[in-house]
Amino acid sequence: MMQILVTGGAGFIGSNFVHYVMKHSDFQVTVVDKLTYAGNLASLANLPTERFRFVQGDITDAQLVDRLVRTVDAVVHYAAESHNDNSLADPGPFLATNIMGTYTLLEAVRKHGKRFHHISTDEVYGDLALDDPYRFTEHTPYNPSSPYSSTKAGSDLLVRAWVRSFGVAATISNCSNNYGPYQHVEKFIPRQITNIIDGIRPKLYGSGENVRDWIHADDHSSAVLTILEKGVSGETYLIGADGEHNNKSVIEAILSGMGKSADDYDQVTDRPGHDLRYAIDSTKLRTELGWTPSHADFTAGLAATIHWYQANEDWWRPQKTATETKYAAAGEQTLYPTAAAPQ
Ligand code: NAD
Ligand code: TDX
């Protein structure tokens, strides 16, 4: 029975992965998580104690990391500072966790000869034109735009160097935008759903023509489990589910799905350096490892996600006011109230 260490397992995608692994494998799971503003123990409630344990700690703590890595067969590394807007306001924590944290883990897996899987993002490739016929592949050159994506790119390169120079058995996956339960209310989809619940108009950055390639968190989890079990050491796999939608259409779909007028949102200050379009070609993962997504219907997935936030207000309510206060303090301003704005 495999024992795995999941870093960042109290965050959005890490907690979804832990639930997925509990259901679809017999692995024993240890989560190490610092419980930053983004970590939430409530996302890991009711897991079987005989297969799951939680350790609060920082992945830059070399002694702790060494002690934990020694006891497992493999490390799945999700922990990161993950929000682009925060990285524009204060890049420091992104360098500490994303770069130094990954370095600390790599040194421990090198010392103890353990398998490592590194979770990364399609943002390392920069962005695409709206009409570009090509999507990102494993061969696309790195070209990150933000402090967040540049630290993720740096961490990917560290993993590659530890494979080549020290023979560490590691794989990397770069995934597109995830949605689903347990996502922090600072992120695009949960922010709009919880705004509407609170009677606040959704906030669209700039024109909203920006495209994201949406994948359900469960499909990300099934891909990572597949790579962990069948992936070839030293290889990178792109994870995506052909879910391209522009932000404007997603806001309209959320409003309609919650019984509101589709134009009842505000256009607000655009994100500096805002990437225009991400799109993943996941042919390698599908053909070489036989993975397929099972949540292909974005409309159905979005409806289930809206329902989850409506049913789990206790989970997100404690973060909501602080998150909106942070956006206001960062200078977010309404540019063009749409037709339905109150006069
Ligand atoms: P998240 O912000 O929801 O969760 C991050 C978790 O890491 C939190 O629980 C936090 O407490 C923990 N953490 C932060 N710093 C830590 C430290 N120094 N030591 C230990 N724990 C620490 O992020 P997420 O959206 O779940 O993203 C998880 C991973 O997936 C990240 O590596 C991110 O780059 C990657 N990713 C995210 C997406 C997406 O759409 N959200 C897409 C592709 C890849
Ligand atoms: O209120 C908003 N209004 C808005 O229009 C917010 C919070 C965002 N946006 C836009 C910006 C992006 O074009 O929506 C899109 C998605 O924004 P985020 O949820 O902040 O995600 P993004 O910046 O695309 O990055 C996400 O996907 C890749 C994750 O946060 C990263 O961790 C992951 O690497």
Side-chain angles (χ1 to χ4, degrees):
M1 187 191 305
M2 181 128 123
Q3 309 232 14
I4 61 170
L5 177 66
V6 178
T7 74
F12 164 45
I13 309 179
S15 62
N16 274 285
F17 178 72
V18 172
H19 287 287
Y20 189 90
V21 160
M22 287 295 153
K23 218 166 150 186
H24 297 276
S25 80
D26 61 359
F27 293 179
Q28 300 266 7
V29 176
T30 299
V31 163
V32 61
D33 195 297
K34 187 178 176 179
L35 296 180
T36 67
Y37 80 96
N40 191 342
L41 266 187
S43 308
L44 296 169
N46 304 321
L47 291 169
T49 48
E50 63 283 7
R51 286 183 57 201
F52 171 75
R53 99 184 149 115
F54 178 81
V55 177
Q56 183 170 4
D58 191 324
I59 56 162
T60 64
D61 177 343
Q63 276 187 352
L64 171 70
V65 164
D66 186 87
R67 190 154 47 80
L68 293 173
V69 167
R70 190 155 32 102
T71 63
V72 297
D73 304 302
V75 177
V76 187
H77 175 33
Y78 287 91
E81 285 292 337
S82 70
H83 194 39
N84 275 299
D85 293 324
N86 292 342
S87 83
L88 296 164
D90 181 14
F94 289 75
L95 279 105
T97 291
N98 301 0
I99 302 282
M100 291 308 292
T102 302
Y103 159 72
T104 306
L105 288 159
L106 284 168
E107 282 296 81
V109 292
R110 168 157 90 109
K111 178 175 165 194
H112 295 292
K114 301 299 166 83
R115 167 96 166 80
F116 189 69
H117 181 68
H118 180 62
I119 303 295
S120 192
T121 168
D122 57 2
E123 297 192 21
V124 300
Y125 300 115
D127 58 355
L128 298 163
L130 293 179
D131 60 355
D132 193 328
Y134 298 103
R135 299 185 288 174
F136 298 138
T137 73
E138 288 76 7
H139 303 291
T140 304
Y142 275 37
N143 188 27
S145 311
S146 74
Y148 162 67
S149 53
S150 60
T151 57
K152 291 300 292 187
S155 66
D156 293 9
L157 298 182
L158 291 177
V159 177
R160 290 184 184 190
W162 261 244
V163 170
R164 168 121 183 204
S165 301
F166 304 123
V168 164
T171 41
I172 299 174
S173 54
N174 297 79
C175 188
S176 59
N177 282 60
N178 286 221
Y179 73 97
Y182 303 116
Q183 186 169 29
H184 195 280
V185 290
E186 70 189 351
K187 301 297 198 306
F188 179 54
I189 288 177
R191 186 183 184 202
Q192 314 315 332
I193 296 170
T194 54
N195 273 357
I196 294 167
I197 292 172
D198 278 357
I200 304 169
R201 288 159 63 84
K203 309 294 176 197
L204 183 68
Y205 291 176
S207 67
E209 65 182 336
N210 310 68
V211 170
R212 296 295 181 263
D213 188 357
W214 294 100
I215 181 172
H216 193 278
D218 272 350
D219 282 336
H220 189 178
S221 295
S222 70
V224 170
L225 197 54
T226 301
I227 297 166
L228 202 57
E229 291 175 333
K230 298 197 238 166
V232 176
S233 180
E235 293 294 317
T236 290
Y237 300 91
L238 264 54
I239 305 173
D242 304 327
E244 284 188 69
H245 298 276
N246 73 35
N247 294 340
K248 183 169 177 292
S249 70
V250 174
I251 281 214
E252 289 169 350
I254 294 169
L255 279 160
S256 304
M258 295 179 73
K260 304 286 176 194
S261 166
D263 62 357
D264 199 5
Y265 61 87
D266 289 338
Q267 277 181 285
V268 298
T269 327
D270 206 355
R271 174 184 284 170
H274 196 174
D275 280 340
L276 186 54
R277 173 176 166 233
Y278 306 136
I280 288 268
D281 178 345
S282 58
T283 303
K284 176 177 172 178
L285 178 63
R286 292 172 194 241
T287 55
E288 294 186 10
L289 304 188
W291 173 81
T292 46
S294 45
H295 296 266
D297 183 346
F298 180 67
T299 308
L302 195 58
T305 304
I306 291 170
H307 181 255
W308 190 88
Y309 281 90
Q310 287 169 328
N312 289 279
E313 188 168 335
D314 287 357
W315 182 88
W316 57 265
R317 175 60 64 197
Q319 278 84 43
K320 185 62 183 169
T321 305
T323 302
E324 289 306 311
T325 304
K326 195 148 77 171
Y327 278 117
E332 183 176 279
Q333 288 188 359
T334 301
L335 301 176
Y336 311 106
T338 54
Q343 297 302 304

